Amino acid sequence: MSVKDVTKSNFSNLIFHSDKPVVLSFNSQNSPDSRKQDMFLTMYSYEHPDVLVGKIDVDKEPSLSAMYGIHTIPSTKVFKKGKCTATALGVQDKFHLQQLLAK
């Protein structure tokens, strides 16, 4: 699997209609921490095909970040059956991503 780019047009389908748990990272291309987070997300997505991994570029999709009150980049949210079950601020490595999914 790979990390899916989440936009306003595919957000609802990916988040609210996914049978899989969703790990969603809010990031920015201009942030070194976001680039580091992308690396962990990519590794995680290949190791866990049972999880949908996505990212939102807050510079391109400000309405999505505003909808969830995102002020820290990167921020990660986990969704299960359309409900947010966990949130974390800052870079999350593979271990911490797995811990978020366990909640």
Side-chain angles (χ1 to χ4, degrees):
M1 293 228 29
S2 62
V3 178
K4 299 211 179 283
D5 288 321
V6 179
T7 64
K8 201 159 128 180
S9 64
N10 67 4
F11 178 83
S12 180
N13 191 46
L14 292 174
I15 303 304
F16 299 115
H17 302 290
S18 174
D19 293 333
K20 298 178 180 182
V22 179
V23 172
L24 184 60
S25 176
F26 293 82
N27 61 34
S28 170
Q29 295 291 332
N30 300 323
S31 163
D33 283 344
S34 289
R35 290 190 292 276
K36 188 174 185 179
Q37 183 67 64
D38 283 350
M39 178 187 67
F40 288 124
L41 291 172
T42 299
M43 288 188 293
Y44 192 84
S45 72
Y46 283 105
E47 293 172 7
H48 299 275
D50 56 325
V51 176
L52 187 130
V53 180
K55 65 180 180 176
I56 295 176
D57 185 331
V58 299
D59 299 322
K60 293 179 182 175
E61 301 292 343
S63 63
L64 291 177
S65 58
M67 183 167 59
Y68 285 98
I70 301 299
H71 299 288
T72 302
I73 302 301
S75 289
T76 303
K77 292 194 172 283
V78 173
F79 294 86
K80 294 179 182 174
K81 298 184 181 185
K83 293 183 126 187
C84 182
T85 60
T87 301
L89 305 178
V91 176
Q92 304 299 309
D93 60 19
K94 294 186 306 178
F95 174 78
H96 289 102
L97 290 170
Q98 191 61 37
Q99 284 188 320
L100 288 172
L101 273 162
K103 292 183 179 185

